[in-house]
Amino acid sequence: MRKEFKQKILKKCRISAVAFGTVFFGVFASGGIEAKAETKTINISITKVDDAGKEIQDCLDEAKEDPSGNTQYVFNFPQGEYILNDTVLKVYSYSTLNMTGCTLKRIGTDKKWKSMLRIGKATGNPETGDENDPGAYGYNGYHDITIIGGVFDGNGTVAAASNADSPSMLRFGHGSNLTFEGVTFKNPYDNHQMEFAACRGITIKNCVFDGFTPKSGKTGAKAVNYANNEALQFDIMHNASHFTQYPYYDDTACQDIVVDGCTFTNLQRGLGTHSAVAGSYFYNVSFTNNTFSNIGGYAIAATNFKNATISGNTITDCGAGIIFRAMVQSHDTFYTPLSGSFTVDHDAASVIENNTIQITDKKYTNAIAYGISLYSEVVKKDIPNDGGNDKVPAGDYTLYGVRVNNNAITMKNAGYGIWLQTTNTCDITGNSVTIDVPAGSSGKGNCDPIRLVKSKNIKIDKNSFVVKKSNKKTKKACGIVVTTNSSATITGNTIKNAPKDGIFVVTKCNATVKNNTINKTGRYGLNVCENSKAKSVKNKFKKCKKRPYNEYKKSKITKK
């Protein structure tokens, strides 16, 4: 059997170098010993340009037949454009795909198109013609896979013409040590360019994610709101409806993720996670030095992330910026763990820093724009979802331990610059927020540079907040709003041109306000209302239209 397989491969592939060197790589073979491998280089030859899948797969299968880890396989793809016609390429452990100069384009012959590439054989899909993989648990599936260069073209325009069922272009489940360098992913139809679930050790560097084709009639705001199509998604391994053909479903979350130096443009959403399981967290996530432009929805979504760094990203002309959350607002993709029990770990131990964010009007219909949003909830009783088959379990999901430092945010649509909801012990330090919202913008919200809701022990320090113009959209804006059972220490900030109040503390809130400079407000410098308290120490107030201080409805300002 092995001999027959090798003879078939040799007809399709040219093995140009066998065992030309011995390499070490950072994965562990069964038994926990670091693998030592020789390298075999295989040059893929393609004769059927319009139906290249089988010839490519015949070569890739060489690695399937040798799972020992003694050989690292390097597959060199030919230059040019080749069609994957109803073919899902399956890649196996210890494989490097060198695709520099090669474009693979997807096409389907009916309305049910296929993904372009996955790890391992399709599981639970006998129509593929092979025996099925048995499935995997945790991160114990295929591993040590690298793709370098090349283009994956989802051909979304053609898929849209027939309204085809078009799944995500590349899909990876239960894998580890997966690396992508300099790859371009473009133009899916109504789905993700690439998605992962239950994977560990994901590195994506200097890749490009370009273009998204929405369903007919789902453009503009409708394209934002009708689906959750991040170009690069990190999903949950909760059930087959979330991640088909990759059992076993065991709620394993992805961890050890690096996305660095990538470009995301002309998309519905950028990257991240829009689903979560209570008590299951994505650990050690780094989104750094990426560029986002012309994104209809958010650039980055971090749901149930721990030990995360979101830093050095440039976000321009996007509908929303970065959301970091411990609960899904709509409740439709947050689930009870399969085990039935869970523990909430409140401390995110994460940082969002040194990002440049510009938010523009993408015509949201049912959402509020933001530069950076920290979000969670206290769920008082179970909330059914998934057609009654699952639920958001009751619990206190308050988000702790996120630092938002040294970000530069410009809001050109109504919303909030930095927006905290149901958080605790978070730091907002050294940020600049500019509200530059036209009167005719479609967004909702008061245009406050920073707004706290149900958030306690928040440090707001040495930030700069400015509202550039007062108009019908910005006329209710305050520099800092602390509302609804919140508490904050507000020190060393500069607030300019607030159309209403410089600092507004309202509805059972408490604030210490010290060494701030508030210059030119449309009403008060510090306004404290509705059973709230504030301590004011050495603040500078200039050009407050009514007066520097105001107390209202059982509220108190203590001046020192």
Side-chain angles (χ1 to χ4, degrees):
M1 177 72 178
R2 175 69 172 161
K3 183 176 179 182
E4 291 173 359
F5 176 82
K6 276 186 170 289
Q7 289 173 344
K8 180 176 75 170
I9 289 294
L10 288 169
K11 292 178 182 179
K12 302 293 184 181
C13 310
R14 288 183 293 116
I15 302 177
S16 62
V18 180
F20 68 79
T22 301
V23 298
F24 293 86
F25 44 92
V27 290
F28 292 85
S30 58
I33 301 173
E34 192 172 56
K36 177 182 179 181
E38 295 179 331
T39 299
K40 177 183 287 187
T41 299
I42 298 173
N43 294 331
I44 298 174
S45 178
I46 298 174
T47 60
K48 296 182 179 179
V49 173
D50 293 333
D51 192 5
K54 186 176 186 302
E55 290 181 292
I56 297 171
Q57 190 63 57
D58 283 347
C59 294
L60 297 180
D61 282 349
E62 174 113 348
K64 177 183 72 173
E65 295 294 312
D66 180 15
S68 66
N70 293 325
T71 302
Q72 177 77 17
Y73 290 87
V74 176
F75 299 96
N76 289 328
F77 282 63
Q79 294 190 0
E81 181 176 285
Y82 304 94
I83 303 299
L84 299 181
N85 194 337
D86 284 329
T87 302
V88 186
L89 296 179
K90 297 171 278 287
V91 62
Y92 299 92
S93 299
Y94 309 112
S95 293
T96 295
L97 280 57
N98 181 6
M99 292 183 55
T100 302
C102 179
T103 295
L104 299 179
K105 179 178 282 190
R106 171 168 62 176
I107 197 165
T109 55
D110 56 26
K111 287 196 173 185
K112 193 169 181 62
W113 286 29
K114 293 179 171 60
S115 295
M116 299 180 72
L117 185 144
R118 57 166 287 140
I119 51 176
K121 290 172 288 193
T123 305
N125 185 15
E127 69 186 20
T128 60
D130 338 293
E131 73 271 25
N132 294 321
D133 274 345
Y137 290 97
Y139 310 110
N140 292 326
Y142 295 97
H143 53 84
D144 290 280
I145 295 167
T146 297
I147 300 179
I148 300 170
V151 177
F152 289 89
D153 185 347
N155 209 9
T157 306
V158 172
S162 62
N163 194 26
D165 179 5
S166 179
S168 298
M169 290 164 51
L170 283 76
R171 303 180 66 246
F172 304 89
H174 291 298
S176 62
N177 294 341
L178 309 173
T179 301
F180 307 82
E181 296 184 3
V183 188
T184 295
F185 309 90
K186 58 188 281 188
N187 197 26
Y189 173 54
D190 190 39
N191 224 308
H192 311 282
Q193 269 98 328
M194 187 160 59
E195 61 179 346
F196 300 82
C199 290
R200 178 173 62 192
I202 304 164
T203 301
I204 303 168
K205 288 191 173 184
N206 303 317
C207 292
V208 175
F209 298 82
D210 184 7
F212 173 83
T213 301
K215 282 189 174 181
S216 176
K218 301 293 186 179
T219 58
K222 292 180 180 179
V224 172
N225 293 319
Y226 86 100
N228 297 313
N229 288 315
E230 298 85 2
L232 174 54
Q233 179 188 213
F234 301 99
D235 207 347
I236 57 175
M237 194 61 82
H238 187 62
N239 55 38
S241 66
H242 269 284
F243 219 81
T244 185
Q245 297 183 6
Y246 272 110
Y248 291 93
Y249 298 101
D250 57 4
D251 288 336
T252 299
C254 293
Q255 67 179 43
D256 302 332
I257 302 167
V258 173
V259 182
D260 180 73
C262 295
T263 298
F264 297 82
T265 187
N266 306 317
L267 301 166
Q268 187 185 66
R269 292 178 172 177
L271 82 152
T273 302
H274 65 256
S275 302
V277 174
S280 178
Y281 298 99
F282 294 74
Y283 282 94
N284 305 326
V285 181
S286 177
F287 296 159
T288 55
N289 306 312
N290 302 292
T291 300
F292 302 82
S293 63
N294 191 27
I295 310 293
Y298 51 65
I300 297 173
T303 307
N304 266 17
F305 280 21
K306 302 287 184 189
N307 302 326
T309 298
I310 302 173
S311 177
N313 301 287
T314 300
I315 298 169
T316 306
D317 188 22
C318 294
I322 300 167
I323 183 165
F324 196 107
R325 60 190 179 181
M327 173 55 60
V328 177
Q329 293 93 317
S330 61
H331 303 132
D332 58 346
T333 57
F334 193 96
Y335 303 105
T336 298
L338 297 169
S339 66
S341 63
F342 65 95
T343 300
V344 176
D345 180 1
H346 292 282
D347 186 7
S350 295
V351 61
I352 303 170
E353 64 183 4
N354 300 319
N355 301 286
T356 300
I357 301 170
Q358 180 208 66
I359 303 306
T360 55
D361 189 355
K362 297 296 184 179
K363 310 298 182 185
Y364 277 85
T365 57
N366 296 307
I368 297 176
Y370 51 81
I372 296 173
S373 172
L374 308 184
Y375 181 85
S376 199
E377 296 179 30
V378 176
V379 178
K380 294 183 178 179
K381 62 179 182 179
D382 294 350
I383 302 171
N385 58 20
D386 194 22
N389 296 316
D390 216 315
K391 63 186 179 182
V392 179
D396 180 354
Y397 298 95
T398 301
L399 175 63
Y400 285 66
V402 181
R403 292 180 287 122
V404 179
N405 298 339
N406 302 316
N407 301 282
I409 300 169
T410 301
M411 298 293 295
K412 291 182 174 289
N413 189 26
Y416 303 112
I418 300 173
W419 188 16
L420 279 65
Q421 299 174 83
T422 315
T423 65
N424 200 317
T425 319
C426 295
D427 290 355
I428 314 297
T429 301
N431 304 280
S432 68
V433 179
T434 301
I435 304 297
D436 188 14
V437 177
S441 71
S442 69
K444 302 175 182 179
N446 290 345
C447 298
D448 307 316
I450 182 166
R451 185 177 184 89
L452 313 184
V453 182
K454 299 180 181 177
S455 294
K456 297 183 181 297
N457 305 311
I458 307 302
K459 177 184 175 183
I460 304 173
D461 186 47
K462 297 182 179 65
N463 302 280
S464 173
F465 304 129
V466 61
V467 181
K468 293 193 73 172
K469 61 190 75 172
S470 180
N471 55 42
K472 65 180 183 180
K473 280 293 183 179
T474 65
K475 65 183 181 180
K476 294 182 180 180
C478 300
I480 298 173
V481 175
V482 181
T483 185
T484 318
N485 297 297
S486 295
S487 64
T489 300
I490 304 169
T491 57
N493 302 282
T494 300
I495 299 168
K496 295 181 180 179
N497 302 329
K500 210 165 188 183
D501 303 323
I503 299 173
F504 188 27
V505 182
V506 60
T507 313
K508 299 180 180 178
C509 292
N510 196 317
T512 297
V513 182
K514 183 177 180 180
N515 292 330
N516 300 281
T517 299
I518 299 169
N519 189 359
K520 194 178 179 181
T521 69
R523 194 170 63 172
Y524 307 114
L526 173 59
N527 189 15
V528 182
C529 302
E530 298 178 6
N531 297 291
S532 297
K533 297 178 181 179
K535 183 188 294 184
S536 177
V537 182
K538 295 182 179 180
N539 297 290
K540 296 178 181 179
F541 298 97
K542 301 176 183 178
K543 298 182 181 179
C544 298
K545 188 170 184 179
K546 289 195 172 182
R547 55 183 177 271
Y549 295 102
N550 186 66
E551 302 169 342
Y552 180 69
K553 281 193 174 180
K554 300 180 181 179
S555 296
K556 178 69 174 176
I557 299 173
T558 302
K559 303 171 189 175
K560 290 189 177 181

